[in-house]
Amino acid sequence: MKIQKLLKILTFATSAIALTTTSLWIGKQAYSWLPPQAAAESLLVDDLISFLVTLGAFIFLGVTGTLMYSIIFHRAKKGEIIDGPPIEGNITLEVVWTAIPIMLVLWIAGYSYQIYEQMGIQGPNEHVHFRMPMGIESAYAAPKEDTGTRGHGDTENLSKTLSASNLEPVEKIDVLAKQWAWVFHYPEKNVTSSELHLPANKRVRLALQSEDVLHGLYVPAFRLKQDIVPNQTIDFEFNPIRLGKYQLTDSQYSGTYFATMQADVVVESPEDYHQWLTKAATRKLSPAKNQAASEYAQADGWTTVAPAEPPLVNYPG
């Protein structure tokens, strides 16, 4: 009996170790499922996602493994039709399976709020500010061709270390969302563009405005999203850290052509950024390319909301 009991304990311990190890491995794989970490805030968000994937894998594999064990080793014998033992209740079991989910929910809520605090979101919901993430002692920049595997929230494949003390607000950019186009204005050089250019490793502040309806600025590579409310100006701060070209899209349904409301986001070195600004300032204003307007012009007998006129920009992208 003692040997059988010891074997059961060893089996349980081995299974628990294997389950924990496998769950941790799956959680680490979650980093490779996500877009590049192009903003300092993405490091914190990816850690949270990896944690949730690890926890979810542990629960899923634990429950599935228990069910499979029960089916294989505790199934009725062939031809056996008698009922099982009449178990009417187990207070201890009920307390355990009620307490564990409650503790897990509180754990997830506490960790999520910690990430929320580290990102420094302040103000009411309609005026959200993303500050320099607390606890990030250094950020990293890498060329866009670097597509190595990321992991553990530590951007170990990125090449250039930047002190967080240098991440001060240096660029103010006005962002106008309208049906169906993005317009970016750079007050420093009075440049207007349909493509968002950002200096790497520098804080930027976007002044978000909507000309008509509710829009949403969303850049998956930054892990940041902000609703843009009509008749309000919302300051939105973040820290791009990885060189490359990314995609900005409207996260809110804003009408017929909302799927065409996209724009490129170019993160470049401060030198290249200011060189681009200077060059764009020398160009005359011209209509930007606008997919919504082009499709609307080709529509035959389709009654819908007419897109706004293509914006005049110095740099159409």
Side-chain angles (χ1 to χ4, degrees):
M1 288 295 293
K2 291 183 178 180
I3 295 178
Q4 291 181 349
K5 186 176 182 180
L6 181 60
L7 287 176
K8 288 182 179 180
I9 294 175
L10 289 176
T11 301
F12 178 79
T14 302
S15 301
I17 293 174
L19 175 61
T20 302
T21 303
T22 303
S23 300
L24 290 172
W25 179 82
I26 294 175
K28 292 177 182 178
Q29 305 312 304
Y31 290 102
S32 64
W33 305 340
L34 303 169
Q37 294 173 324
E41 291 77 7
S42 65
L43 309 181
L44 295 171
V45 175
D46 286 5
D47 285 344
L48 175 60
I49 292 176
S50 177
F51 165 75
L52 294 176
V53 170
T54 300
L55 186 59
F58 185 88
I59 295 173
F60 174 78
L61 294 177
V63 172
T64 304
T66 302
L67 288 174
M68 294 302 298
Y69 175 83
S70 301
I71 292 173
I72 295 173
F73 296 103
H74 295 280
R75 62 189 305 170
K77 296 179 181 179
K78 186 176 181 180
E80 186 176 8
I81 59 174
I82 62 174
D83 294 334
I87 300 175
E88 296 183 0
N90 188 315
I91 295 178
T92 301
L93 180 61
E94 292 176 2
V95 170
V96 169
W97 74 31
T98 301
I100 290 179
I102 291 176
M103 297 303 296
L104 287 177
V105 170
L106 293 176
W107 187 12
I108 294 172
Y111 185 33
S112 300
Y113 184 76
Q114 180 184 0
I115 297 298
Y116 180 91
E117 284 291 296
Q118 288 177 335
M119 293 176 68
I121 303 177
Q122 301 174 356
N125 290 337
E126 68 272 15
H127 289 86
V128 179
H129 301 262
F130 284 88
R131 304 293 179 182
M132 175 57 198
M134 298 167 55
I136 294 183
E137 297 180 356
S138 60
Y140 303 84
K144 69 178 181 178
E145 60 267 22
D146 177 10
T147 57
T149 302
R150 306 178 312 282
H152 318 290
D154 60 7
T155 65
E156 56 190 271
N157 297 302
L158 305 181
S159 62
K160 182 181 178 183
T161 302
L162 172 72
S163 172
S165 60
N166 292 328
L167 290 173
E168 295 294 336
V170 293
E171 289 299 326
K172 297 180 180 180
I173 303 172
D174 300 324
V175 179
L176 178 64
K178 61 181 181 179
Q179 294 175 308
W180 285 270
W182 294 101
V183 185
F184 309 102
H185 179 253
Y186 305 81
E188 179 183 346
K189 296 287 187 179
N190 194 27
V191 168
T192 303
S193 171
S194 59
E195 188 175 77
L196 179 59
H197 283 246
L198 302 172
N201 304 323
K202 297 292 183 181
R203 296 261 316 273
V204 295
R205 178 182 297 153
L206 305 183
L208 306 176
Q209 292 183 322
S210 171
E211 186 178 277
D212 34 52
V213 297
L214 183 68
H215 294 280
L217 183 141
Y218 175 49
V219 183
F222 294 166
R223 315 290 194 273
L224 299 176
K225 182 185 80 68
Q226 174 58 47
D227 292 344
I228 308 175
V229 183
N231 302 318
Q232 293 185 12
T233 298
I234 300 176
D235 289 335
F236 184 73
E237 295 184 11
F238 58 94
N239 308 275
I241 60 173
R242 191 176 189 276
L243 306 184
K245 180 179 288 188
Y246 309 100
Q247 195 71 26
L248 180 156
T249 186
D250 189 353
S251 62
Q252 300 291 337
Y253 178 74
S254 55
T256 308
Y257 297 101
F258 89 103
T260 68
M261 192 169 168
Q262 301 182 4
D264 289 331
V265 179
V266 180
V267 179
E268 51 200 348
S269 67
E271 295 77 15
D272 291 342
Y273 170 75
H274 288 290
Q275 183 178 359
W276 172 83
L277 269 183
T278 302
K279 183 177 180 181
T282 62
R283 298 185 178 183
K284 295 182 178 180
L285 293 174
S286 61
K289 298 177 182 178
N290 188 278
Q291 184 178 349
S294 299
E295 291 186 9
Y296 179 79
Q298 298 172 6
D300 184 15
W302 185 10
T303 302
T304 184
V305 176
E309 291 295 324
L312 297 178
V313 297
N314 301 95
Y315 188 83

